[in-house]
Amino acid sequence: MLAMMAAATACKKDDFLNVVAKGQVSDATVWASEGNADLFLNDIYDGLPNINQEYQLSEQYADNSFCGAAWETGQSVVRAGAISPSNVPTGPGANVGTNGGMWDWVGNYTKIRKCNTFLQKINENAANFSEDWLKKRTGEVYFLRALFYNYLLTSYGGVPIITVPLDNTSSDTLFYPRSTFDQTLAFIEHDCDSAALLLPSDVAKNLGGRPSKGSAVTLKGWVELFAASPLVNINNDLSKWAKAAATNKEVIDMNLYSLLPDYSNIWAQAYNDNDEVIFNREYVSVKKGGYREGYLGPVYVSGVQEGWGNLAPTQGLVDDYSMDNGLPITDPSSGYDDQHPYDHREKRFYQSILYDGAPWQGDTIKTRIGGSNQIDLGSTSDITNTGYYARKTIDESIKAQASIANATGGENYIYFRYAEVLLSYAEAQNEAVGPDASVYDAVNKVRIRNPAAPYLPSLPAGLSQSQMRDYIRRERRIELAFEDKRWFDIRRWNITSGSTGVLNTPEYGMEIRADATGKLNYTRVKIFTNIFYDKNNWMPIPQTVMDKNPQLKQNAGY
Amino acid sequence: MRSNKTNFLFKKGRLLGIASIAGFLTTAFQPTQLAASPRDPFLTPQGKTVRGKITDDKGAALSGVSVMIKGTTRGTTTKEDGSFSIDVPDNKAVLEFSYTGFQTISVSASSQNLEISLKPAAGKLDDVVVVGYGTQKRTSVTAAVSTIKAADVAQKPVVNLSNSLVGRASGLIITQSSGEPGYDGSSISIRGVSTLSGNTTPLVIVDGVPRDFSRLDPNTVESFTILKDAAAVAPYGVAGANGVILVTTKKGKIGAPSLNYNGYVGIQNPTKVPTFVNSYQYALMRNEANKNDGLAPAYTDADLQKFLDHSDPDGHSDGHPLQDIIMPNRIITSHNLSLSGGADRIRYFAGIQYTSQQGMWSPTYLKKYNAMFNITADATRTTKVGLSVNGWVEDQHFPSQSAATIIGQAQRQAPTTPVYYSNGLWSGYIGQSLIGEIYHSGYQFNENPSYQTQFSIEQQLPFVKGLSLKAVVSYDPSSSMQRKYTTPIPFYNVDTTTNPYTYKEGIQGNSKASFWEYYNQTHAFTYQGYINYHNTFGKHDITALAVVENRIVKYEEFSAQRLNYSLDIDELNYGGSGSSDISNSGYSTLTKQLGYVYRLAYAYNNRYLLEASGRYDGSYVFGPGHRFGFFPAFSAGWRLSEESFIKDHIKWIDNLKLRGSWGESGALPYYIGTTTVADFNYLSTYGLYSNSAVLDGNITQGLSATRQGNPDITWEKAQKTDIGLEGSILHGLFGFEIDYFYEKRSNMLLDTANHLPAEYGLSVGQVNAGIMSNHGIDITLRSAHSFSKDLRLDITGTFTYARNKLLRFYETGATYNNPNRRETGRSLNTQYGLKALGYYSDADFNADGSLKSGEPVPTFGPVHPGDIKYADLANSDGALKPDGVIDANDQTVIGHPQTPEIIYGLEPHLTWKSFDLDILFQGSANSDIYLNSYFVQPFNASGSASELSFSQYWTPDRTNVLYPRLTGTPSPNNTQTSSWWVRNDSYLRLKSFELGYTLPAGMIRSLRIQGIRIYIAGQNIINWTPHMKEIIDPENSGSNQNYYQQRVFSFGANVTF
């Protein structure tokens, strides 16, 4: 024994204690081949906002949804006037994994660092990679970096622009101040341009979850639209609108994308990668599947609690769906009957909203008083607080409890699709030059969708710029409902706060009560008092972030 | 007594020098015993009578002393004059003398006439103490060491041994946060927390090797030793900084086989269960909340009436979820059989135990099976060989849903949903079903076999006096097999729109079952080589020890899962076969440690004691060049009582020793909040993981930079200083041990995150930069007194106080620059938050509902009368000037850490005639708990509300209450971290008691049984939390969602056959 011990110690001591760190890969290995480096890139993709596994969409922050899960930040923070540097809602994805929400400060800078590392390392080790691979992957990472900066820009305004992996062992500066909004915008535009040059330009369908040239130009068009909007473009500089219009036009002119004839198929698993998709995140049922059906789907089905009901359309959203004649319900000639509110509405209404009397999984949703989904006026349960559930983006073939247990959803999450580009173009062009024919054309494409069986009639001719703006904004809300666009739109339009602000006036639901004869009576009921201040249009920089970087300046009002 | 040792040594004729070798001899060693060698049976006739007299150490006769022939049922007691007479079969017989309050001794019956004096137990003057890599006589110990006799805990109805130590030894700070069978282990720290880098648990050594002790059979444990100061822990080098617990298992003693049974049966009930509102109260509160929110009432008067009169039990239910799911009087039982004995060249001890514990609901229970066997043999006159095997299996059974989920749901479920409907079907609440989760969710079974095996060989080297060599090899395999079968959880929702009501079945979870299997195995190899030397030269006594220790631990695990079981067959093979139904994972790891231990002790005239010890230690955790560290310690003792100015002049002092120590020990980096070593932090690496992004239709693997390595990372250094005074006075009437300690932990491993911008985007490896101090005192007081020959009282009191202080660590400017928030200079885990002033009242508001000017404005949303009002203490620069805004800058200290600074115990032990009573009061002080979640915040997450909150929510007419006004969901303003929710959770428990009765010998003699003692015992009997109105066990978490600690009453018996 002692001899053995002596023998053991006779070896070089340090070597004797060597243990291989399994599962930990060295720098040299990672950048040695395309296959290895791709593993690093896969991880960056995994950091894309993981919305289909999230139970609180940004719709919940905006005026599209108001669910009974009262503890969720949409209700307890955003709509309660309680956004503060120590309580920053970070958007959808916040409740999934470790990457943080869509506009989480630390999460995005973590991903940006990965992009910076990737760009730096493949450049240093260029000899290990083919030219084709380098070009394609560099383009992808420029796009991804631009996307992450976009989330920061559209939530906080100008942010520190960091383009290299920071290194505290060197003497380089670590503490960056914020760049201005315009500088950050220019940086994103530049990354998008770089990506557009490098990415494949001839692909209509997205490349298996990877961006194409169209994705990069679309992203650029979106940030330019945001920058041209009233929240940022205070003096209404028309050239900003013109720039946004031109970039979105560029996508239209690619002639690669088209609208699916059936609106509800856009989010169906069977139609993943359809021609309308510009950039998306892929899911695989169960192994890497979505929870939308369980988290967002209706609560009671056939008398039994199934889903969490976390997407509860507000009365305001429901009211914005046109009648099937194309007229808004506020138009006296629309034929709207407030005691038969769900009759003769436009097709997208029936494809998007579950209302009292709507069929679902063989059952009929009943939110009326006494129904199994009786409107919950006290947040005592998961049941809808508005009288509605969402149908759009939710796969009716999937049982909610199975979804909750196993992530059964196999449909992709679409960040950008063609209909948005058309509406962005129309909005920017209408603001820049007024409602010209190209504006009509773009909006009508979306309204008609299927020329063989139009969803809506074309827009009435002769609309003023302001009337056209109303049509476009309503169209955008309806067309893109539940796609995490509304939160950004209402802020950039600066319509959230103030006495008429959509997030500063009460939220309503529909109470439906049968009288003695069985006739249903419909009453709009106030379900929540929203409070939203001007300053809340921009998120505060989290206090923990401020505390660590003395160079940062907080947004006004916080 | 290890008489084997005396045998061969005696033959060498070196009685005196040998007598003190590592204290192997007892003081009762009498020359008469040695007159004839018990090895030599031919010298003595068969059968004889031994007579003698027993006195105390002052020469007074002791009556009633038990005199037993060891290993037999025969015995007697001494008369009034201390004399006895007993027939023994032969010279081999050994007589055992025991008397409460005195040390039990065994003496060979080879002499015809024995004059024996018993030493009092309280002073423990000549006890042998187990220390690191050896034993020492208590009088020679210069380190801070406390001990617990396992006999004190063996009969208590406690399955996990870590729950038996609290209050019984000074220096231990122990919290048991869960009572769940199998997961109820206490978190233990020795002298409090001295580091913020993750692991604060002490090193546990069982029979000389790092091992788990929590599942040992308490009947097979001889003693616990708590090593507290540098001198005591120095031999453990890098692993010693948090203190060390040494556990020694029982070994056989010479004598005829002795068979013992110990068993008990007990009943368990939770210590504290909060009560929740009934449905009528709930509805009233909901309506009040809706009123406050400006909404219509949630419940009509008709609803309220139905809740009140229970006329519609399924439509307007009145459920009591928590009360309904907890089953009363759950059984805990344990049975042990042990055999020990030995002839002169071979000793053995064997024990088996069966333990079973039921949980609060029937699917939760555990069964534990222990078996151990050890043998010590004198292979030659100079060679001692030991072999031991100690193993156990713990079978744990649970529902597939965790206890925290179940208890959380039980506190969440509103009483308006019953647990069961009137027809016996069970309900679901917000898609979760309590009864379903407990009884219809499948199962989780864990089976954790573990073995501790050890072989040792010790060789005396006759050519150098006092020199011996020893080698120990230990191999500890352990594994865990876990099987989790998650079935669809059925439940029923009532449809009240039909007449009669209909009950629709729903499913919680997937509609098909899934099965998960997990296996891990650990193989721990420890090799130790010892050189021991001890010799005496006149008044000089020298001891030396050198050890080489090498430890290698291999760990592997894998798990596999299948989904979508069509048939109810819970085997891995029978799940769905689609690729998305199948998954698996696994990994392996290896740890290595190499250490060189030394200890040198010198004593002059048994009066002045000097000791140097330490370890040169190496670990795989660090990078080349940073792997080895040296951890020395020095200590000294002065036995004042041996000085003539005391010995000759102050007769009432029996023993008095002043001692002091200083030294350094080390600590490895740990992942924060775990006991897993953070290895390879010296490398900048990328971690590979599966199930990354889906690209091109495939699930990919991902690779991400896990950290920026720190090539220079190395140990934390703990510098420990200890000054102690110990002694006993008045012939053992009082004994005491008082220590002051100070520890400075430097090189403390810190996260650098606070000194890097959040935009850095990568976690940077820990650096050795922090400094933290910890100081305190621990005290043990003992008293023993015989009031009469029948009545004797022993009292032990323990007290531990430890307070730490962060001296240097990375803190942000926002907290460092604000004197209220500065963490540097305060205790680790001090609680910070807003200072609550009370509630807003109408007087604080203008007519339009806005706050009056001058009132600081909170930034957590609008406030109303009845909301919590906070103090405006500081501005954003950290200056203590109100700035009119309540925000994070106004945070200040609102409470102590939840780990108590003070733990104390009082342990009276009373014997009266055949009765014995052992009681432990145990308490804590200087700690605060932060309450949150359902039981203090009504309607949290659509939850229920506690009965206390019903009587304590704010209304305009009721303002002097515990809780703010009601809202549909707790408002962000009121749920800010603030002093409002902090409670002093100091407690005092009647932690345990045991009342025993020994049946008179005459009564059982006919049963051919040597002795029977019956007892009743209990655990957590009375629990006082004087500073809290909320009903919560003080060791539970602030949300009260940990499995409840149990109050246990048991009945048991000890039988010696």
Side-chain angles (χ1 to χ4, degrees), chain A residues 1 9 13-14 18 24-25 27 42-43 76 105 113 168 208 282 287-288 304-305 370 382 401 406 547 549, chain B residues 430-431 473 493 497 505-507 509-510 582 596 616 625 627 685-686 689 691 696-697 701 708 759-760 814 972:
Chain A
M1 165 62 54
T9 54
K13 289 180 320 190
D14 266 15
N18 259 347
Q24 312 217 25
V25 185
D27 206 55
N42 295 343
D43 174 59
S76 66
W105 186 280
R113 183 195 176 92
N168 67 336
E282 298 199 324
K287 288 224 152 164
K288 192 90 177 181
V304 162
Q305 170 136 18
D382 283 356
Q401 285 284 2
N406 282 341
D547 289 347
N549 183 354
Chain B
I430 313 194
V473 180
N493 283 133
T497 61
E505 182 177 338
I507 294 290
N510 199 9
I582 300 172
Y596 305 86
Y616 184 64
R627 285 182 174 156
T685 55
Y686 300 86
Y689 66 98
N691 222 20
D696 312 314
Q701 286 184 303
Q708 178 183 316
E759 299 81 43
Y760 198 83

Side-chain angles (χ1 to χ4, degrees), chain A residues 1-2 4-5 8-9 13-27 30-31 36 38-40 42-43 45-46 68 70-71 75-77 80-84 86-87 105-106 109-110 113-114 117 121 160 162 166-169 174-176 207-210 281-288 300 302-306 308 370-372 377-382 401-402 405-406 526-529 531 533 543-545 547-549 552, chain B residues 282 286 290 293-295 298-299 412 429-431 469 471-473 491 493 497 504-511 527-530 548-550 563-564 579-580 582-583 588 590 592-594 596 616 618-620 624-625 627-628 680 682-689 691-708 753-762 764 812-814 859-862 888 941-942 968-969 972 976:
Chain A
M1 165 62 54
L2 285 171
M4 206 197 92
M5 302 301 297
T9 54
K13 289 180 320 190
D14 266 15
D15 293 350
F16 184 71
L17 293 174
N18 259 347
V19 171
V20 176
K22 283 191 192 176
Q24 312 217 25
V25 185
S26 72
D27 206 55
V30 177
W31 310 109
N36 293 4
D38 272 346
L39 297 175
F40 189 91
N42 295 343
D43 174 59
Y45 277 105
D46 203 36
W71 63 91
Q75 180 169 337
S76 66
V77 177
I83 298 173
S84 76
S86 47
N87 207 350
W105 186 280
V106 176
Y109 275 106
T110 302
R113 183 195 176 92
K114 291 174 181 178
T117 301
K121 293 288 186 182
I162 299 169
L166 300 181
D167 182 0
N168 67 336
T169 60
L174 298 177
F175 298 91
Y176 284 61
L207 298 169
R210 299 179 195 273
R281 178 181 179 129
E282 298 199 324
Y283 288 84
V284 169
S285 174
V286 180
K287 288 224 152 164
K288 192 90 177 181
Y300 277 80
S302 303
V304 162
Q305 170 136 18
E306 285 280 345
W308 291 1
S372 61
L377 296 172
S379 290
T380 58
S381 70
D382 283 356
Q401 285 284 2
N406 282 341
K526 180 182 146 189
I527 54 169
F528 192 74
T529 307
I531 297 162
Y533 304 113
Q543 193 59 44
T544 51
V545 170
D547 289 347
K548 289 177 189 172
N549 183 354
L552 296 176
Chain B
Y282 174 84
R286 272 291 179 194
N290 273 21
D293 290 340
L295 303 174
Y299 296 97
R412 185 186 189 197
Y429 180 72
I430 313 194
L469 299 179
V472 179
V473 180
F491 63 91
N493 283 133
T497 61
K504 304 264 178 63
E505 182 177 338
I507 294 290
Q508 174 185 341
N510 199 9
S511 57
Y527 309 97
Q528 296 168 337
Y530 290 69
V548 183
E549 182 178 79
N550 177 23
L563 306 176
N564 290 324
S579 72
S580 68
I582 300 172
S583 63
S588 70
L590 180 65
K592 289 183 178 175
Q593 192 188 358
L594 177 63
Y596 305 86
Y616 184 64
S619 167
Y620 79 105
R627 285 182 174 156
F628 280 84
F680 308 123
Y682 64 93
L683 297 171
S684 285
T685 55
Y686 300 86
L688 184 65
Y689 66 98
N691 222 20
S692 184
V694 182
L695 289 167
D696 312 314
N698 302 312
I699 299 170
T700 63
Q701 286 184 303
L703 197 58
S704 70
T706 41
R707 79 183 87 80
Q708 178 183 316
N754 279 347
H755 270 203
L756 291 174
E759 299 81 43
Y760 198 83
L762 178 64
V764 173
T812 65
T859 55
F860 326 109
S942 297
T969 189
Q976 292 299 311

Side-chain angles (χ1 to χ4, degrees), chain B residues 406-570:
Chain B
I406 291 164
I407 292 175
Q409 173 72 1
Q411 298 189 46
R412 185 186 189 197
Q413 181 162 327
T416 47
T417 299
V419 174
Y420 287 101
Y421 295 108
S422 51
N423 60 6
L425 295 175
W426 57 94
S427 70
Y429 180 72
I430 313 194
Q432 255 181 286
S433 171
L434 263 183
I435 294 303
E437 286 181 345
I438 298 173
Y439 296 101
H440 307 279
S441 68
Y443 60 76
Q444 170 148 9
F445 296 161
N446 302 339
E447 212 174 56
N448 304 322
S450 190
Y451 305 91
Q452 300 177 345
T453 73
Q454 187 159 331
F455 176 82
S456 66
I457 180 162
E458 188 174 351
Q459 179 66 52
Q460 304 288 332
L461 296 180
F463 46 88
V464 181
K465 185 180 157 193
L467 187 67
S468 68
L469 299 179
K470 185 170 135 185
V472 179
V473 180
S474 105
Y475 166 55
D476 297 350
S478 65
S479 63
S480 175
M481 182 78 193
Q482 303 184 6
R483 299 161 61 90
K484 183 171 177 175
Y485 191 50
T486 309
T487 59
I489 300 172
F491 63 91
Y492 299 86
N493 283 133
V494 62
D495 183 351
T496 55
T497 61
T498 58
N499 190 11
Y501 293 168
T502 47
Y503 301 84
K504 304 264 178 63
E505 182 177 338
I507 294 290
Q508 174 185 341
N510 199 9
S511 57
K512 285 186 172 179
S514 64
F515 183 67
W516 170 84
E517 241 177 35
Y518 166 86
Y519 182 77
N520 73 41
Q521 61 177 25
T522 305
H523 296 279
F525 300 87
T526 308
Y527 309 97
Q528 296 168 337
Y530 290 69
I531 303 173
N532 270 301
Y533 175 76
H534 176 254
N535 209 342
T536 306
F537 307 94
K539 290 182 171 178
H540 309 275
D541 186 276
I542 292 172
T543 309
L545 165 76
V547 185
V548 183
E549 182 178 79
N550 177 23
R551 192 166 155 80
I552 296 168
V553 182
K554 295 177 183 172
Y555 175 84
E556 290 153 302
E557 69 167 41
F558 71 82
S559 67
Q561 187 177 28
R562 290 258 191 135
L563 306 176
N564 290 324
Y565 279 68
S566 298
L567 297 176
D568 198 21
I569 305 175
D570 52 346

Side-chain angles (χ1 to χ4, degrees), chain A residues 79 96 117 119 123-125 127 137 197 211 217 274 286 322 339 359 364 371 387 390 427 443 468 493 515 523:
Chain A
R79 293 159 177 273
V96 186
T117 301
L119 293 172
N123 190 36
E124 285 172 8
N125 299 279
R137 295 298 186 244
L197 283 173
V217 181
N274 61 64
V286 180
S322 307
Q339 290 306 306
T364 300
E427 180 184 340
V443 180
M468 179 59 92
W493 292 331
D515 65 15
T523 320

Side-chain angles (χ1 to χ4, degrees), chain A residues 68-138:
Chain A
W71 63 91
E72 288 180 6
T73 47
Q75 180 169 337
S76 66
V77 177
V78 178
R79 293 159 177 273
I83 298 173
S84 76
S86 47
N87 207 350
V88 185
T90 59
N95 299 305
V96 186
T98 55
N99 283 313
M102 190 181 258
W103 55 86
D104 181 68
W105 186 280
V106 176
N108 277 296
Y109 275 106
T110 302
K111 297 166 205 169
I112 287 165
R113 183 195 176 92
K114 291 174 181 178
C115 293
N116 291 336
T117 301
F118 187 87
L119 293 172
Q120 187 188 65
K121 293 288 186 182
I122 61 170
N123 190 36
E124 285 172 8
N125 299 279
N128 298 340
F129 310 111
S130 72
E131 203 169 309
D132 184 48
W133 183 92
L134 273 174
K135 188 179 159 203
K136 210 164 53 179
R137 295 298 186 244
T138 308

Side-chain angles (χ1 to χ4, degrees), chain B residues 185-407:
Chain B
S186 291
S187 67
I188 300 178
S189 72
I190 292 179
R191 293 181 160 176
V193 172
S194 305
T195 179
L196 53 68
S197 66
N199 185 30
T200 58
T201 58
L203 174 70
V204 177
I205 302 286
V206 179
D207 290 334
V209 174
R211 290 161 166 165
D212 177 33
F213 79 110
S214 61
R215 264 70 178 185
L216 293 176
D217 172 0
N219 296 288
T220 63
V221 175
E222 180 73 34
S223 69
F224 303 90
T225 310
I226 320 298
L227 307 183
K228 300 187 285 195
D229 70 346
V233 302
Y236 294 99
V238 65
N242 294 329
V244 181
I245 298 177
L246 302 177
V247 182
T248 308
T249 59
K250 282 183 180 165
K251 306 290 182 294
K253 289 172 185 156
I254 235 170
S258 165
L259 184 64
N260 290 280
Y261 165 82
N262 177 28
Y264 62 80
V265 180
I267 55 166
Q268 318 165 79
N269 288 288
T271 54
K272 301 223 176 196
V273 183
T275 45
F276 279 74
V277 285
N278 62 35
S279 55
Y280 176 69
Q281 294 166 326
Y282 174 84
L284 288 179
M285 287 173 79
R286 272 291 179 194
N287 283 352
E288 168 81 13
N290 273 21
K291 192 178 84 188
N292 290 339
D293 290 340
L295 303 174
Y299 296 97
T300 63
D301 288 349
D303 290 329
L304 289 170
Q305 181 56 35
K306 286 180 184 165
F307 286 130
L308 208 49
D309 61 22
H310 299 117
S311 59
D312 177 22
D314 289 354
H316 291 77
S317 311
D318 187 17
H320 308 89
L322 200 50
Q323 272 69 19
D324 286 359
I325 59 167
I326 298 175
M327 301 169 77
N329 301 332
R330 306 300 287 158
I331 302 294
I332 180 170
T333 182
S334 170
H335 305 276
N336 158 274
L337 209 53
S338 63
L339 179 72
S340 81
D344 48 276
R345 289 182 65 165
I346 211 155
R347 276 88 54 209
Y348 57 87
F349 182 90
I352 55 169
Q353 188 195 30
Y354 163 76
T355 305
S356 135
Q357 183 183 16
Q358 295 181 337
M360 291 197 289
W361 32 81
S362 58
T364 292
Y365 63 96
L366 75 76
K367 291 181 184 300
K368 186 163 75 83
Y369 309 87
N370 286 69
M372 72 98 83
F373 175 72
N374 63 55
I375 184 166
T376 315
D378 304 322
T380 73
R381 288 185 173 187
T382 57
T383 312
K384 191 162 87 168
V385 176
L387 179 68
S388 74
V389 181
N390 196 346
W392 62 87
V393 182
E394 189 167 274
D395 276 355
Q396 303 165 341
H397 298 246
F398 309 99
S400 75
Q401 307 296 307
S402 74
T405 302
I406 291 164
I407 292 175

